[in-house]
Amino acid sequence: QVQLVESGGGSVQSGGSLRLSCAASGYTYSNYCMAWFRQAPGKEREGVGVIDSNGSTWYPDSEKDRFSISQDNAKNTLYLQMNSLKPEDTAMYYCAANSDRGLGYCPAHRTFYNYWGQGTQVTVSS
């Protein structure tokens, strides 16, 4: 059973930084996708960073200069470094995972991912 457990959320002031962590266990895909999503109240869940088993990454244009996704395979942990945070970054942040299903790339849409963590809240005040 795949388990994902996020941590590292909290409250910061605008311009601050946070690093989220996602401890993963229970999957042995040779080709996998892992991602960070966020969901603000009343809004759809959106992808903010994707990484595949080769270390290739993707970010939406709006975040690529501020967010950085990485993984420590020895620790089975996924990270999201967030810098220059803005009040509009306030949301629940979720870690997600799945095999790449033979696509050879990792989509950033939430419907692709079968496994989700419980989320960690990030609140940015102005």
Side-chain angles (χ1 to χ4, degrees), residues 91-106:
M92 186 71 79
Y93 283 70
Y94 298 92
C95 171
N98 207 53
S99 74
D100 75 351
R101 303 184 185 180
L103 293 176
Y105 72 96
C106 295

Side-chain angles (χ1 to χ4, degrees), residues 13-68:
Q13 291 192 326
S14 182
S17 298
L18 281 175
R19 188 177 81 156
L20 307 183
S21 299
C22 172
S25 62
Y27 71 90
T28 57
Y29 304 123
S30 57
N31 297 303
Y32 60 83
C33 300
M34 295 199 75
W36 286 98
F37 287 78
R38 68 184 178 191
Q39 188 167 20
K43 295 189 176 181
E44 288 195 0
R45 191 169 296 190
E46 61 177 355
V48 295
V50 176
I51 190 167
D52 68 15
S53 50
N54 295 316
S56 297
T57 58
W58 170 91
Y59 308 93
D61 287 344
S62 57
E63 315 307 346
K64 62 182 179 180
D65 293 330
R66 301 188 300 125
F67 289 8
S68 178

